[in-house]
Amino acid sequence: MRRRLLELSDRLRANLALRRISSVIRTLERRAGITRTGEVGIVLAVLLWLMARVFAGVTLYLVAYGALLLIVVSWLTVRRRLPLEGGRTELRARARVGEVLTVGLELRARRRLSTIVLEEALPEKLGDPVRLPIASIAGGEEVTHEYRLACTRRGAYTVGPLVARWGDPFGVCQREMVLAEPFEVLVHPAIENVSDRPLTRQFEDPPIRPPVSKPWPSGLEFYGMREYVRGDDLRRIVWRATARTGKVMVREAEQGITDRITILVDSDRTYHGRETPSESFEAAIRAAASLGVKHLGEGYSVTVEANAGPVTRALRGAGSQIRMLDALARLDMDREPLTSNIMRRVSDPRSDAHNILITPRLKPADAAQLRMLLNRGLSVLVIALMWDDEASETLNTAAALGCQVVELRPGQSIAAAMSIEVGAGQRL
């Protein structure tokens, strides 16, 4: 087994070395402006010169020098910068999964030119590179072209650069000019209109959710006061009580009311689907996006966390939805365990956040740390991604802890899944 692993490692290293060498060769070709045909011509000219030197053949000398002269003349010809201008039109930097973007290309020439190729580099996931051969273009004429980007997968993609290529009639040398720099296209995850009512307290009797939950200060009803801790909102300080007791006191909200939402996305690739892209991870991103958009639209403060660290800072208001979706479009899986994500919540001094955990597997170590959050009275909603046979353990573990639990299965609507809760929110 070890020998096979070593052989596989050697093959991977050899492939990486070949790719690097190939990349270096392509870079040198592009900078020198010599095509593969030109390289073959140079090699043949050198071989002919060596044969002429060995066999003292005057004819071979003349052929070798003639081939080199042809290459030099071709190289000098294509070194001239062509009077071209161009760019993109109808450009959009953001799209949603399933949307098709139309990108327009423009090319203008100040004098008559011929044999030009307009090329736009595209990521493999968005399609093949766009190539537009132009036989000739008159001075002052404008050539336009449109192509479509099918945004079938969430992610951040670099499109471009847009270049114009031209060469000599023999195809020995070639040069390119950048007409437009690369730009980034962010494909946002699909979102659904979901339902979720935040809850912060679980110790009251009965520990149930109110019919309607609104962020502070809308619908705030007095629950009690406690001493100020670092991170509390200064607007909640009760100054009269502070002056009377000599301690900084803050007002606490009624059961079920909070203005802070924390969405925890389990990004550990160990337990997500192995396919590309991972269906379970993409479902987690869609759920996070749907919940984040809903709560931001209702005025809550939303923070998104992955295992490796924060994805967004605390955002508030419907105007922050684009920033959250941009961050989720860039989010990818990592090797950090879920415990890293939960421990950051445990170490947070504030205890008035509604936490939403989206995970395919809740291990015993994760459950132990989740219990620490619940012991502080925080609300925890667990969205269990049911993508394998062992995922059912997550439902039982989370429900036994007292969490609200939602199970999301492959192909199931997130809105439909959120309408059915498995856990009752009571600790057993």
Side-chain angles (χ1 to χ4, degrees), residues 192 273 275 278-284 286 360 383-389 391 407-414 417:
E192 299 181 30
E275 63 277 358
S278 172
E279 292 186 6
S280 61
F281 186 69
E282 294 304 314
R286 290 196 301 272
I383 300 180
L385 305 174
M386 310 297 290
W387 256 256
D388 57 30
D389 297 335
E407 56 177 307
L408 180 59
R409 298 185 176 276
Q412 185 181 13
S413 166
I414 298 174

Side-chain angles (χ1 to χ4, degrees), residues 262-301:
T262 303
I263 302 175
L264 311 176
V265 180
D266 186 358
S267 53
D268 186 359
R269 66 174 66 249
T270 305
Y271 300 104
H272 280 288
R274 304 294 182 182
E275 63 277 358
T276 304
S278 172
E279 292 186 6
S280 61
F281 186 69
E282 294 304 314
I285 296 296
R286 290 196 301 272
S290 300
L291 289 165
V293 168
K294 171 185 172 56
H295 290 309
L296 285 173
E298 293 180 346
Y300 290 88
S301 171

Side-chain angles (χ1 to χ4, degrees), residues 90-95 101 155 157 183-188 326:
E90 303 179 13
L91 182 61
R92 286 177 53 192
R94 294 177 176 87
L101 298 182
Y157 305 100
F183 73 98
E184 185 180 51
V185 174
L186 296 176
V187 181
H188 291 168
D326 286 350

Side-chain angles (χ1 to χ4, degrees), residues 199 202-209 374 380 396-405 422-428:
L199 174 70
Q202 296 186 346
F203 299 139
E204 287 81 358
D205 187 20
I208 60 174
R209 297 188 175 196
L374 295 169
V380 178
N396 300 329
T397 303
L401 289 174
C403 302
Q404 298 288 330
V405 187
V422 177
Q426 299 181 1
R427 292 182 294 173
L428 304 177

Side-chain angles (χ1 to χ4, degrees), residues 359-362 382 384 386 390-399 405:
T359 179
R361 188 74 56 84
L362 196 62
V382 176
M386 310 297 290
E390 299 181 7
S392 58
E393 298 178 2
T394 301
L395 295 176
N396 300 329
T397 303
V405 187

Side-chain angles (χ1 to χ4, degrees), residues 108-366:
R108 296 175 297 276
R110 292 191 293 272
R111 62 179 176 84
R112 183 176 181 80
L113 300 172
S114 61
T115 317
I116 301 172
V117 177
L118 197 63
E119 183 172 341
E120 176 90 287
L122 296 181
E124 183 179 354
K125 298 175 183 178
L126 293 184
D128 298 326
V130 178
R131 293 177 60 89
L132 177 63
I134 301 174
S136 64
I137 179 172
E141 183 183 357
E142 182 176 304
V143 175
T144 60
H145 178 70
E146 289 186 350
Y147 69 91
R148 294 185 176 182
L149 293 177
C151 303
T152 58
R153 289 173 56 176
R154 174 196 63 88
Y157 305 100
T158 300
V159 176
L162 175 64
V163 299
R165 290 193 173 93
W166 67 93
D168 64 286
F170 303 101
V172 174
C173 297
Q174 188 179 39
R175 191 182 177 189
E176 64 181 37
M177 181 174 63
V178 177
L179 300 176
E181 296 295 332
F183 73 98
E184 185 180 51
V185 174
L186 296 176
V187 181
H188 291 168
I191 59 174
E192 299 181 30
N193 185 18
V194 298
S195 175
D196 178 43
R197 288 172 291 155
L199 174 70
T200 59
R201 299 184 175 279
Q202 296 186 346
F203 299 139
E204 287 81 358
D205 187 20
I208 60 174
R209 297 188 175 196
V212 178
S213 294
K214 296 181 180 180
W216 185 89
S218 297
L220 180 66
E221 293 184 9
F222 181 74
Y223 170 80
M225 290 184 295
R226 59 172 173 79
E227 190 173 351
Y228 172 86
V229 296
R230 184 179 179 183
D232 281 337
D233 194 331
L234 297 179
R235 295 174 295 181
R236 299 168 63 182
I237 295 177
V238 183
W239 296 107
R240 289 185 178 180
T242 300
R244 185 174 61 252
T245 62
K247 299 179 181 180
V248 180
M249 305 296 292
V250 295
R251 181 186 294 108
E252 286 196 285
E254 65 179 358
Q255 176 191 355
I257 303 300
T258 179
D259 68 332
R260 298 176 65 239
I261 310 291
T262 303
I263 302 175
L264 311 176
V265 180
D266 186 358
S267 53
D268 186 359
R269 66 174 66 249
T270 305
Y271 300 104
H272 280 288
R274 304 294 182 182
E275 63 277 358
T276 304
S278 172
E279 292 186 6
S280 61
F281 186 69
E282 294 304 314
I285 296 296
R286 290 196 301 272
S290 300
L291 289 165
V293 168
K294 171 185 172 56
H295 290 309
L296 285 173
E298 293 180 346
Y300 290 88
S301 171
V302 177
T303 304
V304 182
E305 298 262 353
N307 294 359
V311 179
T312 68
R313 60 177 180 83
L315 304 174
R316 187 185 293 274
S320 300
Q321 294 176 355
I322 295 297
R323 278 184 286 174
M324 184 199 67
L325 293 174
D326 286 350
L328 289 175
R330 295 188 174 95
L331 183 59
D332 201 358
M333 292 184 289
D334 51 53
R335 291 293 184 182
E336 288 293 324
L338 178 59
T339 51
S340 302
N341 202 341
I342 301 178
M343 279 305 298
R344 287 196 299 272
R345 297 300 94 222
V346 173
S347 60
D348 189 347
R350 298 191 60 168
S351 58
D352 59 346
H354 173 58
N355 299 274
I356 303 173
L357 174 60
I358 308 172
T359 179
R361 188 74 56 84
L362 196 62
K363 303 180 292 298
D366 306 328

